[in-house]
């Protein structure tokens, strides 16, 4: 029709074609310049960082579970720090959950009870792991003493050994696999002392 032909030859039509050509040219330049591949690197980099962080966290927990937790003992001051800090983190975490709740949803008391319990358990776990590593790294002063021991056939994570009373931390400590243990006797305990507690290294039967 006449109106269609006029619209085809109108300046607005040619302006639109020029804009379309310019956009296609820009996209082609970006493609050959490698810009689309630069955009795809960001998700890969973020996934790599997240994966590395999760791997380091898993290694930290496993090392604490099978090594650090067996040789580190807190003193009275560190125990108080642990109790106060874990409680503070639990309260702060629960308050953050309440503050960031979705106002459109209805939450039951049982839900908030589960949230409080989960926050408390998580704060206890993180607190003992962090303080255990700090105690392990800060205990640098070698020390030893002789004490009577009691044979312990069972222990956490197959730590069969001798149970002795350590005066520095005022509690019983376990020396894992010191040798051919008897029902009782004397043992020389070697340890590393620090401001937060001790690290039991080894024991020698006398």
């Amino acid at each position: 029709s006449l109106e269609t032909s006029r619209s085809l030859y109108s300046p607005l039509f040619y302006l639109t074609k020029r804009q379309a050509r310019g956009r296609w040219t820009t996209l082609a330049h970006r493609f050959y310049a490698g810009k689309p591949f630069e955009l795809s690197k960001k998700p890969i980099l973020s996934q790599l960082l997240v994966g590395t962080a999760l791997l380091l966290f898993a290694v930290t927990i496993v090392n604490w579970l099978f090594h650090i937790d067996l040789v580190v003992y807190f003193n009275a001051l560190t125990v108080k720090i642990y109790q106060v800090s874990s409680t503070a983190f639990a309260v702060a975490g629960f308050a953050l959950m309440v503050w960031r709740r979705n106002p459109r949803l209805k939450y039951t008391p049982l839900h908030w009870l589960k949230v409080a319990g989960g926050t408390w358990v998580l704060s206890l776990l993180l607190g003992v792991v962090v303080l255990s590593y700090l105690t392990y790294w800060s205990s640098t002063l070698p020390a030893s003493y002789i004490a009577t021991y009691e044979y312990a056939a069972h222990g956490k994570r197959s730590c069969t050994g001798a149970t002795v009373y350590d005066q520095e931390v005022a509690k019983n400590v376990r020396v894992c696999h010191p040798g051919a243990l008897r029902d009782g006797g004397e043992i020389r305990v070697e340890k590393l002392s620090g401001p937060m507690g001790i690290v039991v290294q080894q024991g020698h039967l006398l």
Side-chain angles (χ1 to χ4, degrees):
S1 63
L2 182 59
E3 294 180 358
T4 304
S5 62
R6 288 178 179 177
S7 63
L8 291 175
Y9 291 97
S10 62
L12 182 61
F13 176 76
Y14 286 105
L15 181 61
T16 304
K17 289 179 65 178
R18 293 194 193 99
Q19 292 177 350
R21 290 174 181 173
R23 290 176 181 176
W24 281 109
T25 304
T26 303
L27 291 175
H29 283 302
R30 288 182 178 179
F31 179 80
Y32 288 111
K35 291 186 177 180
F37 298 100
E38 293 179 358
L39 295 177
S40 63
K41 289 180 180 179
K42 294 181 179 179
I44 296 176
L45 181 60
S46 62
Q47 292 176 3
L48 182 61
L49 292 176
V50 171
T52 304
L54 291 176
L55 180 61
L56 291 177
F57 178 77
V59 171
T60 300
I61 295 298
V62 171
N63 183 55
W64 170 80
L65 191 63
F66 292 97
H67 176 60
I68 302 295
D69 188 44
L70 299 177
V71 297
V72 169
Y73 294 89
F74 298 153
N75 56 22
L77 177 60
T78 306
V79 171
K80 293 180 180 179
I81 293 174
Y82 171 63
Q83 294 172 346
V84 173
S85 61
S86 60
T87 303
F89 279 115
V91 173
F94 181 74
L96 182 62
M97 292 291 184
V98 174
W99 180 64
R100 293 181 61 87
R101 71 186 186 279
N102 191 346
R104 298 180 180 179
L105 300 178
K106 294 182 179 180
Y107 300 96
T108 62
L110 181 59
H111 169 79
W112 290 119
L113 183 61
K114 292 180 180 179
V115 171
T119 307
W120 181 264
V121 171
L122 182 61
S123 64
L124 290 177
L125 176 61
L126 292 179
V128 72
V129 170
V130 172
L131 290 177
S132 295
Y133 273 98
L134 292 177
T135 304
Y136 186 82
W137 291 330
S138 62
S139 300
T140 57
L141 181 63
S144 64
Y145 61 92
I146 297 176
T148 58
Y149 72 87
E150 293 182 0
Y151 174 70
H154 302 285
K156 53 183 179 181
R157 288 174 289 281
S158 301
C159 179
T160 302
T163 300
V164 299
Y165 183 81
D166 190 279
Q167 296 182 355
E168 183 177 353
V169 294
K171 67 179 66 174
N172 290 329
V173 301
R174 179 71 59 84
V175 183
C176 298
H177 312 293
L181 291 171
R182 301 177 295 273
D183 292 336
E186 289 188 340
I187 187 174
R188 185 174 73 250
V189 180
E190 297 180 359
K191 65 179 183 178
L192 294 175
S193 299
M196 302 180 68
I198 64 170
V199 177
V200 178
Q201 291 185 303
Q202 57 185 346
H204 301 281
L205 298 177
L206 300 178

